[in-house]
Amino acid sequence: MTDRDLDWVVDHEAALHAFPWSRGNFADSLAAGHGAWVMRVGGSPVAYAVMLVVLDEAHLLNISVAREFQGARLGTALLRHLFAEARRCGASQFFLEVRPSNSAALALYRSHGFQPIGRRKGYYALREGGREDAIVMRLEL
């Protein structure tokens, strides 16, 4: 992901999430040196991800597939790329947070061996008000 990708990324982020990352959030991640990728099919962007690696831990900060490409296993391909990059950077563990209501993401993460290790109470805002917990998941790489 580069600054040139941010218009597309931010547009899709807003379409996919009730509480999307801002352009500034993505720009800050790029400036901080976080791993950030845009997946392309036929030269066109279809998905993106942001990951932070600290010491032996990788943390998934954002992964999203454009709505029109969901169900095509692109999330699986992108996640596998992240695992390889995390290992290349010396990570032996991979962490993420996910909404309990996001059944598609939970199924994806479970299918790759992620295990729930805890909850963050009230981590996510809800569109209709209130808060939703996050399930914290971990994978041994």
Side-chain angles (χ1 to χ4, degrees), residues 2-3 11 16 23 25 27 30 33 51 54 56 62 69 84 88-89 94 96 118-119 122-123 127 130 132-133 135 137:
T2 68
D3 288 336
D11 286 348
L16 292 167
R23 182 183 194 87
N25 293 135
L30 292 176
M51 176 181 71
V54 177
D56 68 337
N62 191 318
F69 292 97
R88 187 183 65 74
C89 293
F94 205 110
L96 59 84
R119 287 179 96 82
Y123 188 76
R127 184 175 286 165
E132 181 178 15
D133 291 352
I135 298 173
M137 301 185 86

Side-chain angles (χ1 to χ4, degrees), residues 24-85:
N25 293 135
F26 286 104
D28 288 348
S29 285
L30 292 176
H34 298 162
W37 296 268
V38 172
M39 176 184 273
R40 298 177 192 283
V41 173
S44 297
V46 297
Y48 54 92
V50 180
M51 176 181 71
L52 167 66
V53 177
V54 177
L55 300 173
D56 68 337
E57 296 180 359
H59 296 263
L60 181 62
L61 303 179
N62 191 318
I63 186 169
S64 299
V65 176
R67 198 170 315 291
E68 61 270 27
F69 292 97
Q70 290 178 1
R73 302 195 47 84
L74 298 178
T76 291
L78 188 51
L79 202 53
R80 287 183 179 154
H81 173 78
L82 297 176
F83 296 158
E85 286 295 316

Side-chain angles (χ1 to χ4, degrees), residues 71-133:
R73 302 195 47 84
L74 298 178
T76 291
L78 188 51
L79 202 53
R80 287 183 179 154
H81 173 78
L82 297 176
F83 296 158
E85 286 295 316
R87 284 186 196 101
R88 187 183 65 74
C89 293
S92 61
Q93 305 175 80
F94 205 110
F95 295 90
L96 59 84
E97 290 92 6
V98 61
R99 290 176 183 267
S101 62
N102 191 342
S103 57
L106 278 167
L108 173 67
Y109 301 142
R110 285 186 176 127
S111 75
H112 283 87
F114 279 91
Q115 297 295 315
I117 60 167
R119 287 179 96 82
R120 297 192 198 283
K121 296 288 183 192
Y123 188 76
Y124 293 110
L126 293 171
R127 184 175 286 165
E128 58 277 354
R131 308 290 297 179
E132 181 178 15
D133 291 352

